[in-house]
Amino acid sequence: MFRRLGAFAAASLLTVFAFASPAHASTVDLTFGPLSIGEYCHAQVSTSALVGLYESSGLRCYSGANVYVGSGDPYLACKYLTTDVVAAALRGQSGALICRVVR
């Protein structure tokens, strides 16, 4: 009797673990400002770039004297700035870069 009950309990536990639902991914928005974008600009666009802004014309890189030094790709900037899976790159307020990532 107890052996059957033990076997039934073990089988029930295995069934519960076998059909347990996997963890669900969620999307998170990460915001990066001009200095963080500037790190991407310095590494990928121009070594004289210190600041980056996501403007209506795209992601633009500037030197310390606010001189335009080149353009970058917002999606690639997100991939450079985070190790998460990037779903989208969006423009935020005041030239911020919003990276929508999956965690």
Side-chain angles (χ1 to χ4, degrees), residues 36-53:
S36 297
I37 301 169
E39 290 178 22
Y40 161 77
C41 288
H42 182 77
Q44 302 295 326
V45 177
S46 172
T47 56
S48 64
L50 298 175
V51 176
L53 297 172

Side-chain angles (χ1 to χ4, degrees), residues 3-92:
R3 273 191 278 167
R4 287 184 186 171
L5 186 58
F8 177 74
S12 296
L13 275 174
L14 287 175
T15 303
V16 167
F17 287 123
F19 292 107
S21 63
H24 294 282
S26 63
T27 58
V28 178
D29 288 347
L30 303 176
T31 304
F32 295 99
L35 293 178
S36 297
I37 301 169
E39 290 178 22
Y40 161 77
C41 288
H42 182 77
Q44 302 295 326
V45 177
S46 172
T47 56
S48 64
L50 298 175
V51 176
L53 297 172
Y54 193 1
E55 300 172 341
S56 59
S57 58
L59 191 127
R60 297 173 54 94
C61 303
Y62 297 92
S63 70
N66 290 333
V67 175
Y68 172 74
V69 294
S71 296
D73 185 330
Y75 180 79
L76 293 178
C78 284
K79 288 186 65 96
Y80 179 84
L81 294 170
T82 182
T83 57
D84 295 313
V85 175
V86 178
L90 309 167
R91 184 171 165 230

